[in-house]
Amino acid sequence: MQYNILKKSGLKVSQVSFGCMSLKADSVDNDVIISKAIEGGINLFDTADLYEKGANEALLGAALKGRRNDVLISTKVGNRWKPDGSGWDWCPTKKHILTAVDDSLRRLQTDHIDLYLLHGGTIEDPVDEAIEAFERLADLGKIRSYGLSSIRPNVIREYVSRSNISAVMTQYSLLDRRPEEATIKLLSNNEIGVLARGAVASGLLVDKPAKEYLDMTKEQVTSILKDFSNALPEGKSQAETALRYVVDNQAITSAVVGIRTLQQLQDALAGANTTPLNTAQWQALQELWEGNFYKEHR
């Protein structure tokens, strides 16, 4: 496993990290999967207070008990469940962030969060207020660093220019190359880490049948997937190649891979440990299609 540094925080992050969203609180395999992930070199585990109404944080906290010093925890804030549990509201206020962190710390059974991410964001948000909350939590020692989970270039630009964020989590894959045009270079130039989610494009780059994806028709996706299958480097599977396309982009700090089963963990570790794509192989994948662009929130 290779590791990269989130430069503004000093955190040393595994090139592939563990997205916990798919884990279910009633699964008996969670502890085994998380333990094997740590043994395999994964050291960043990402969750959110939104997932399963906090139960996802709780299961992660329980699984990491006694191993907290071996790992980094990333969780998210900004969505507030309605009292009747029927859904959630977007609430990026200073008051909510300062309150919600204590509930996350309790569920995670820890006294600090390594990376605290705002779970979304709009250009109409009280950005300075949210930043004040994160800075306050850092001063109190409740978080080590903070960032943003967003695909919106206009929101990302605001936080880059007005805050001390150390990372942005955003969707990125061979089928979703929008960040290449709008945000990856901006973040790299400002020494802000990029945590890429969705490396296998909801399974389309692995084994799921073609369907409409983003602004592409099923026929367009089918054509790209056929070319992708024909362009695999010798000795690499589709899953490994899709993951390497992401992590071998020098601007990417870590690929956050959603993991629910031991097989998915093994696939993620195989992709992390296989040889990197060389420049020619990576460029050949880029040339499979022209890429896509953000049409909104620019």
Side-chain angles (χ1 to χ4, degrees):
M1 179 71 68
Q2 297 294 311
Y3 297 85
N4 295 311
I5 302 295
L6 283 177
K7 294 180 181 178
K8 289 192 174 182
S9 67
L11 299 177
K12 184 179 180 181
V13 179
S14 51
Q15 196 174 52
V16 170
S17 47
F18 194 124
C20 297
M21 183 177 70
S22 297
L23 295 177
K24 300 304 178 185
D26 58 358
S27 173
V28 297
D29 295 328
N30 292 332
D31 289 1
V32 173
I33 294 172
I34 289 172
S35 292
K36 288 188 176 297
I38 296 172
E39 292 169 7
I42 291 175
N43 77 337
L44 176 64
F45 292 81
D46 176 73
T47 180
D49 61 3
L50 180 68
Y51 304 157
E52 288 197 283
K53 300 179 181 178
N56 197 264
E57 287 183 327
L59 75 84
L60 179 61
L64 295 178
K65 196 169 185 178
R67 308 191 72 167
R68 177 65 181 94
N69 293 334
D70 300 329
V71 302
L72 303 173
I73 293 176
S74 167
T75 192
K76 309 181 196 75
V77 65
N79 295 292
R80 181 174 57 186
W81 280 97
K82 295 178 181 179
D84 63 2
S86 62
W88 60 85
D89 297 315
W90 177 236
C91 188
T93 64
K94 182 176 181 179
K95 180 180 180 181
H96 175 66
I97 294 170
L98 292 177
T99 301
V101 70
D102 290 325
D103 291 329
S104 289
L105 289 169
R106 174 179 51 79
R107 288 189 291 261
L108 290 164
Q109 300 185 47
T110 186
D111 63 355
H112 71 279
I113 293 163
D114 299 291
L115 179 60
Y116 205 29
L117 302 176
L118 186 66
H119 201 175
T122 74
I123 202 65
E124 291 82 23
D125 290 346
V127 173
D128 290 329
E129 184 178 320
I131 293 169
E132 288 175 8
F134 286 117
E135 292 287 352
R136 176 61 176 158
L137 293 176
D139 290 341
L140 292 171
K142 293 185 179 183
I143 67 174
R144 294 177 66 184
S145 61
Y146 66 96
L148 181 68
S149 177
S150 178
I151 62 170
R152 297 181 173 186
N154 58 353
V155 174
I156 292 171
R157 281 195 296 270
E158 288 301 307
Y159 279 87
V160 169
S161 66
R162 295 159 68 175
S163 77
N164 192 38
I165 58 172
S166 65
V168 170
M169 182 179 293
T170 197
Q171 183 169 299
Y172 177 52
S173 73
L174 184 61
L175 282 180
D176 186 358
R177 292 169 52 191
R178 295 174 297 175
E180 292 177 356
E181 181 256 345
T183 55
I184 286 180
K185 186 177 292 185
L186 170 69
L187 296 171
S188 180
N189 289 344
N190 285 274
E191 297 191 331
I192 296 169
V194 181
L195 307 178
R197 60 178 177 83
V200 297
S202 300
L204 289 172
L205 291 167
V206 182
D207 55 8
K208 296 291 179 64
K211 63 178 181 178
E212 292 182 1
Y213 189 72
L214 300 177
D215 58 349
M216 294 179 286
T217 65
K218 179 180 177 180
E219 289 71 26
Q220 288 174 312
V221 172
T222 298
S223 177
I224 296 170
L225 294 179
K226 180 180 179 181
D227 291 341
F228 173 61
S229 180
N230 292 331
L232 296 178
E234 185 176 354
K236 283 186 172 57
S237 68
Q238 290 184 213
E240 291 169 349
T241 303
L243 186 59
R244 294 310 316 186
Y245 178 80
V246 172
V247 299
D248 289 333
N249 182 322
Q250 293 185 356
I252 304 300
T253 307
S254 183
V256 183
V257 179
I259 296 171
R260 180 177 51 83
T261 66
L262 283 171
Q263 184 60 56
Q264 289 172 339
L265 172 62
Q266 290 168 4
D267 290 342
L269 291 175
N273 294 323
T274 191
T275 55
L277 299 173
N278 60 41
T279 300
Q281 291 169 335
W282 195 83
Q283 290 179 343
L285 292 173
Q286 279 218 314
E287 292 170 2
L288 292 179
W289 72 298
E290 66 275 12
N292 42 6
F293 303 93
Y294 289 110
K295 294 184 176 180
E296 299 177 328
H297 312 294
R298 297 187 61 88

